């Protein structure tokens, strides 16, 4: 004898079917990832439009939009070495729709330099993918310092004495500042740090003869190296860069293990579902595998990385204590 269906029985069957579907697909997070994204995403950049971070975000974001099927809107929130933008994303819903293009200065240097930051990179973010990396170049104005090697610049600084020689940087806590202080620490003579609001302003004063040297990002320095307005002495990666193979490394120049690089990577708020993080990571990796994208980023002086979420998480976890020790040993303090 068949039992008549009561109104509650169809609902029970429907819920059972939904539960089975969720179980087979890996749960609610997996279902969310299948539907993600269903609206535009935003990628928040902690620096002004036109700079390296902004260029990377716009190039990568435009291609991500193609494979995700939703627009990726770049939002600039400049200031405080990118920490304003980072805090904004850390406080955003953990749903994958708010992303932060972070740099080493914001995510691994700032926490040691500014202990009162409102966020903690290792607790408040889910690393998605390291996008690119780029070394710095130590350059001098040859009209101010007749140094052709790092050793000659080092001799000049030591002869002048503590504080007599200055160097320019794009601002406190940035890679140029960290490289400058690490170099001075290894030289063993104090130098005067002259911070600027951006790398263009710093380079302008080096070119103008107001400051004798700086550590500059590769694409910023190369045109002025070609024109002879600045002289390159060394590069800050452990290996020579293919875009400037004639320039030796600091490590080759007598400064063992000297390495300071600019890198940019994408972060999501902590607790963003892993399937969503993985989908975003795969999207970025797909974009960075395109030869056209690699060519465009190379033109800007970047080396493509395109790591997955697990590799990037491991990298950030290893960099945080490393730079904490460096900053402590060098004695860098907020100015």
């Amino acid at each position: 004898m068949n039992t008549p269906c009561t109104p509650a029985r169809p609902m029970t069957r429907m819920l059972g079917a939904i539960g089975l579907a969720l179980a087979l697909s890996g749960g609610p997070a997996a279902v969310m990832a299948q539907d993600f994204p269903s609206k535009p995403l935003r990628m928040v950049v902690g620096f002004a439009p036109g700079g390296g971070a902004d260029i990377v975000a716009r190039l990568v974001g435009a291609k991500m939009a193609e494979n995700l099927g939703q627009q990726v809107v770049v939002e600039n929130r400049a200031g405080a070495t990118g920490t304003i933008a980072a805090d904004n994303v850390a406080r955003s819903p953990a749903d994958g729709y708010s992303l932060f293009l972070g740099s080493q200065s914001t995510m691994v240097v700032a926490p040691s330099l500014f202990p009162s930051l409102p966020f903690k990179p290792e607790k408040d973010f889910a690393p998605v993918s390291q996008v690119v990396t780029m070394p710095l170049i130590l350059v001098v104005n040859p009209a101010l310092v007749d140094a052709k090697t790092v050793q000659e610049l080092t001799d000049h600084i030591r002869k002048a004495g503590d504080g007599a020689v200055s160097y320019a940087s794009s601002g406190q806590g940035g890679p140029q500042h960290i490289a400058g202080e690490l170099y001075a620490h290894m030289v063993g003579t104090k130098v005067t740090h002259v911070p600027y609001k951006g790398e263009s302003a710093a380079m302008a004063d080096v070119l103008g003869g107001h400051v004798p040297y700086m550590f500059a990002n590769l694409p910023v320095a190369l045109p002025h190296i070609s024109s002879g307005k600045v002289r390159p002495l060394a590069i800050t990666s452990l290996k020579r860069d293919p875009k400037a193979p004639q320039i030796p490394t600091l490590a080759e120049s007598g400064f063992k293990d000297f390495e300071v690089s600019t890198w940019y990577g994408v972060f999501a708020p902590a607790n963003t579902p892993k399937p969503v993080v993985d989908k975003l990571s795969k999207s970025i990796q797909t974009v960075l595998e395109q030869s056209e994208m690699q060519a465009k980023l190379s033109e800007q002086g970047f080396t493509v990385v395109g790591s997955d979420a697990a590799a990037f998480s491991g990298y950030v976890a290893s960099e945080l204590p490393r730079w904490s020790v460096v900053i402590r040993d060098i004695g860098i303090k907020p100015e």
Side-chain angles (χ1 to χ4, degrees), residues 51-234:
D54 183 68
I55 290 169
V56 170
R58 292 181 190 279
L59 285 173
V60 174
K63 290 296 182 180
M64 286 178 68
E66 292 180 8
N67 65 43
L68 290 174
Q70 290 288 345
Q71 185 180 10
V72 178
V73 180
V74 175
E75 183 179 313
N76 298 91
R77 289 177 176 258
T81 320
T83 58
I84 293 172
D87 185 48
N88 175 269
V89 173
R91 295 173 185 271
S92 298
D95 55 11
Y97 289 95
S98 292
L99 304 173
F100 173 55
L101 187 79
S103 66
Q104 84 297 340
S105 57
T106 305
M107 303 304 277
V108 300
V109 172
S112 295
L113 202 56
F114 308 105
S116 60
L117 284 179
F119 64 87
K120 291 186 179 298
E122 69 275 26
K123 292 183 179 180
D124 296 325
F125 290 93
V128 176
S129 176
Q130 186 180 18
V131 180
V132 293
T133 185
M134 176 176 58
L136 305 172
I137 296 182
L138 171 58
V139 296
V140 298
N141 182 323
L144 295 181
V145 182
D146 187 26
K148 296 179 176 63
T149 65
V150 177
Q151 187 57 54
E152 289 179 358
L153 175 62
T154 299
D155 292 342
H156 171 79
I157 292 171
R158 286 172 174 164
K159 184 177 180 180
D162 282 348
V165 179
S166 60
Y167 75 95
S169 88
S170 61
Q172 187 179 3
Q176 295 93 341
H177 177 208
I178 300 303
E181 292 302 306
L182 180 57
Y183 171 59
H185 177 72
M186 295 176 80
V187 167
T189 303
K190 292 181 180 179
V191 293
T192 300
H193 174 219
V194 184
Y196 290 81
K197 291 183 177 180
E199 191 171 12
S200 296
M203 179 59 78
D205 263 15
V206 172
L207 295 171
H210 303 291
V211 187
Y213 76 95
M214 71 177 291
F215 287 85
N217 278 316
L218 197 62
V220 172
L222 286 178
H224 305 301
I225 292 171
S226 298
S227 68
K229 293 180 180 178
V230 296
R231 178 182 294 142
L233 302 186

Side-chain angles (χ1 to χ4, degrees), residues 107-108 121-122 127 130 263 267 311-321:
M107 303 304 277
V108 300
E122 69 275 26
Q130 186 180 18
W263 58 255
F267 295 81
F312 190 29
S313 295
Y315 178 74
V316 173
S318 67
E319 285 288 279
L320 278 163

Side-chain angles (χ1 to χ4, degrees), residues 32 35-41 68-70 97:
M32 179 183 176
D35 296 334
F36 176 86
S38 59
K39 61 182 181 180
L41 296 78
L68 290 174
Q70 290 288 345
Y97 289 95

Side-chain angles (χ1 to χ4, degrees), residues 270-304:
N271 301 318
T272 299
K274 185 178 183 300
V276 172
V277 171
D278 289 342
K279 191 168 187 176
L280 288 166
S281 182
K282 183 61 179 176
S283 171
I284 294 169
Q285 291 175 76
T286 299
V287 165
L288 295 176
E289 288 169 358
Q290 299 174 10
S291 57
E292 177 189 2
M293 178 60 64
Q294 291 181 4
K296 287 181 178 179
L297 290 169
S298 180
E299 287 173 6
Q300 296 294 327
F302 295 108
T303 298
V304 171

Side-chain angles (χ1 to χ4, degrees), residues 38-51:
S38 59
K39 61 182 181 180
L41 296 78
R42 68 184 187 121
M43 187 177 295
V44 185
V45 178
F47 301 95

